[in-house]
């Protein structure tokens, strides 16, 4: 009747109450109008039935109006069932406890003022406030620590004062007891660990808030690392992400700085990345993809070692992979001191070349190349760890990014601007000439590679230039800048005299050579020709037809405004609702006119014909009006 779904509880309630209330109301009204006596007379029977039917119909319409108001106040499906209510109550109670814990952390570190309505406080006013934010995130737990680490690399959206403080966050945690770890491993394997591993070291190699890693030896003697996720880590992270979204929405409502930074979008991107990072099967696939990307086409071996994963022993919460020889660069000072300068320079050049190859050629790149994720052994060979954060670029993005870097190297501000527009799209009210001028100034300043601050200053200048021009940087493109910024710190530890810009120019030709190889260019050209060939085949005939139509005066141009089916459906539905609303209004207006004008003709004693017609028209108008409102 109303053209809108209604939940079954309301349907049952309406079906139960309507006959009782309707019968009582109809009987009372019939008694007042004398319909019972009139119905005893055969000649008034049909008139009495007509009035009674109208009374019942109006009662039904009134109940529809009540239903409409109920749908506005409390839409169908907004109240879950008893089981869902109980589960939601438990979940909300746990979230509330966690929420108040986090608020306590913020207040304890002097950050409560940022959450107040109308607050004008800004977190980059002082370095003390940034330090307080770092300490608060550290106390809040793993989810917020990882959020801070992610934000520390997004200098395009947060001030440098905050980024410098957040970069010092660490995720070290107290290790789980071995008894619990052993039970987790057995549960994931579906059998005792002794059937798969010859031995497992009880002392972890590393322990973080999400998981920890243990050295082990497989039954065949292969040395591996077993990465185990902490029990309840996903539940805790999921609860924290919900709270984080709630806080982000509130901050954007109350604080201008939060809206300018796009806090809600940052949290959503972080939530997607962290959720993927918690699934170790994704990390396993990332290891395979990166191993293929790093494999040298001439030797068939990767220039940088990627550990081999063992899918048969891995799951979404446990990962078994090859153990690499070496020490993390961040703690390998003794190892590096024993290497000669040429070996250290070669290692740094290799890491940079392979990073650029991942980004520009393969399109799959390790997005977290900080010193703790890069191993170096006594011979200067490199290996990578922790593949939870991996970025991906399609060919269009890679080509645009390559053109941008080549334009910077070639002192071409026009080409750099064109490449940036292809990569990020043109923002509203974009001033192209001003952007070209500013990017040209940055290129001139850093083209020698020895500008003040080096490549870090260059990245900072570029990010500031891009954001000030109104560009919105997608997450994957921001991941490229984040990777280059992180790898620079690792490169400087490998070779203190390493200059990223100079080295990038030196290795750039080798990295880009595969993209410009004749066979690859021929393949791309072949694809373009095949896509254009059908158009070229039909072009002569179309030109002849256009020429003939112009000569004969038959040339015309037809434009279909609503070509898309969704557009036509929207307009049709809008027209139907408008017509229905107009018809309903006309019925109500006609009913009002009949009631005001009236006449002396009576259907039965005391009931005028005009009143019955007005009731019928008003009934139709009311039902159509309710139907239109519910479907809007």
């Amino acid at each position: 009747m109303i053209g809108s779904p209604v939940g079954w509880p309301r349907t049952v309630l309406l079906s139960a109450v309507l006959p009782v209330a309707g019968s009582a109301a109809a009987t009372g009204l019939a008694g007042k109008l004398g319909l019972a006596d009139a119905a005893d007379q055969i000649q008034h029977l049909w008139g009495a039935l007509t009035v009674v039917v109208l009374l019942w119909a109006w009662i039904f319409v009134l109940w529809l109006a009540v239903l409409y108001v109920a749908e506005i106040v409390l839409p169908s499906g907004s109240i879950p069932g008893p089981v869902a209510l109980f589960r939601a109550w438990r979940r909300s109670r746990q979230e509330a406890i966690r929420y108040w814990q986090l608020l306590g952390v913020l207040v304890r570190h002097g950050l409560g003022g940022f959450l107040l309505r109308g607050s004008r406080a800004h977190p980059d006013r002082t370095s003390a406030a940034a330090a307080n934010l770092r300490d608060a995130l550290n106390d809040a737990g793993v989810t917020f620590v990882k959020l801070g680490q992610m934000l520390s690399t997004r200098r395009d959206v947060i001030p440098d004062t905050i980024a410098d403080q957040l970069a010092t966050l660490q995720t070290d945690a107290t290790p789980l007891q071995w008894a619990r770890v052993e039970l987790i491993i057995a549960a994931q394997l579906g059998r005792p660990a002794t059937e798969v591993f010859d031995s497992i070291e009880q002392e972890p190699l590393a322990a973080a808030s999400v998981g920890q890693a243990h050295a082990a030896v497989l039954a065949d003697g292969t040395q591996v690392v077993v990465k185990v996720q902490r029990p309840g880590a996903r539940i805790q992270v999921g609860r924290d992400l919900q709270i984080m979204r709630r806080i982000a929405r509130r901050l954007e409502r109350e604080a201008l700085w939060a809206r300018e930074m796009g806090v809600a979008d940052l949290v959503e991107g972080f939530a997607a990345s962290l959720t993927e990072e918690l699934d170790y099967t994704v990390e396993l696939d990332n290891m395979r993809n990166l191993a293929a990307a790093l494999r040298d086409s001439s030797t068939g071996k990767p220039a940088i070692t990627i550990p081999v994963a063992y899918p048969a022993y891995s799951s979404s919460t446990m990962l078994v992979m090859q153990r690499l020889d070496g020490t993390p660069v961040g703690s390998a000072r003794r190892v590096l001191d024993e290497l000669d300068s040429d070996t250290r320079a070669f290692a740094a050049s290799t890491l940079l070349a392979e990073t650029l190859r991942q980004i520009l050629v393969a399109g799959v790149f390790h997005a977290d190349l900080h010193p703790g994720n890069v191993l170096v052994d006594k011979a200067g060979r490199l290996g990578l760890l922790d593949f939870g954060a991996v970025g991906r670029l399609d060919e269009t993005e890679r080509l645009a990014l390559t053109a941008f870097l080549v334009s910077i190297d070639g002192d071409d501000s026009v080409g750099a601007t064109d490449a940036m527009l292809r990569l990020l799209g043109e923002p509203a009210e974009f001033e192209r000439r001003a952007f070209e001028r500013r990017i040209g100034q940055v290129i001139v300043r850093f083209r020698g590679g020895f500008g003040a601050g080096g490549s870090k200053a260059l990245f900072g200048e570029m990010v500031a230039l891009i954001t000030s021009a109104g560009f919105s940087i997608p997450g994957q493109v921001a991941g490229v800048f984040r990777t280059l910024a992180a790898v620079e710190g690792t490169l400087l530890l490998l070779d203190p005299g390493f200059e990223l810009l100079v080295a990038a120019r030196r290795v750039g030709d080798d990295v880009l050579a595969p993209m410009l190889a004749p066979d690859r260019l021929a393949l791309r050209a072949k694809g373009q020709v095949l896509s254009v060939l059908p158009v070229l085949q039909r072009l002569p005939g179309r030109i002849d037809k256009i020429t003939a139509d112009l000569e004969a005066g038959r040339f015309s141009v037809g434009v279909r405004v609503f070509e898309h089916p969704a557009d036509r459906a929207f307009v049709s539905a809008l027209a139907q609702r408008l017509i229905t609303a107009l018809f309903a209004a006309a019925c109500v207006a006609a009913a009002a006119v009949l009631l005001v004008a009236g006449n002396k003709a009576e259907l039965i004693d005391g009931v005028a014909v005009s009143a019955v017609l007005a009731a019928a028209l008003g009934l139709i108008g009311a039902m159509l009006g309710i139907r239109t409102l519910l479907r809007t």
Side-chain angles (χ1 to χ4, degrees), residues 224-292:
V224 296
V225 173
V226 182
K227 186 176 179 181
V228 180
Q229 193 172 109
R230 287 177 179 262
R234 290 191 180 188
I235 297 175
Q236 180 65 53
V237 168
R239 189 177 299 135
D240 285 348
L241 288 176
Q242 290 297 332
I243 295 172
M244 198 178 291
R245 291 186 178 101
R246 191 181 308 148
I247 294 175
R249 289 194 295 268
R250 177 175 177 177
L251 284 174
E252 286 208 344
R253 286 196 308 267
E254 308 297 345
L256 176 62
W257 64 266
R259 290 192 294 273
E260 291 175 348
M261 288 172 54
V263 171
D265 291 338
L266 281 175
V267 169
E268 287 300 327
F270 166 73
S273 174
L274 184 55
T275 302
E276 181 177 294
E277 191 174 338
L278 287 172
D279 188 351
Y280 289 168
T281 59
V282 174
E283 184 172 351
L284 187 147
D285 291 337
N286 290 340
M287 293 169 63
R288 292 173 171 175
N289 292 334
L290 276 175

Side-chain angles (χ1 to χ4, degrees), residues 423-496:
L423 182 64
L424 304 178
E426 184 172 340
E429 301 180 0
F430 177 65
E431 298 182 5
R432 180 187 177 97
R433 187 66 192 97
F435 184 81
E436 288 179 0
R437 187 180 299 111
R438 291 188 60 191
I439 203 170
Q441 293 170 354
V442 174
I443 291 173
V444 170
R445 178 182 173 188
F446 291 96
R447 63 185 173 188
F450 299 99
S455 53
K456 182 179 180 180
L458 171 62
F459 291 137
E461 290 277 356
M462 283 297 179
V463 169
L465 174 61
I466 291 169
T467 53
S468 64
F471 288 100
S472 177
I473 303 180
Q476 294 298 333
V477 178
V480 173
F481 290 107
R482 181 167 66 248
T483 300
L484 293 176
V487 78
E488 183 182 21
T490 307
L491 294 171
L492 290 175
L493 288 176
L494 289 171
D495 181 9

Side-chain angles (χ1 to χ4, degrees), residues 14-38:
L14 188 66
S15 302
V17 174
L18 178 61
V20 178
S23 178
T27 302
L29 290 173
K32 287 185 178 182
L33 295 175
L35 295 180
D37 297 333

Side-chain angles (χ1 to χ4, degrees), residues 367-379:
D368 195 16
L369 290 174
H370 63 75
N373 285 339
V374 181
L375 297 179
V376 58
D377 63 12
K378 295 180 179 180

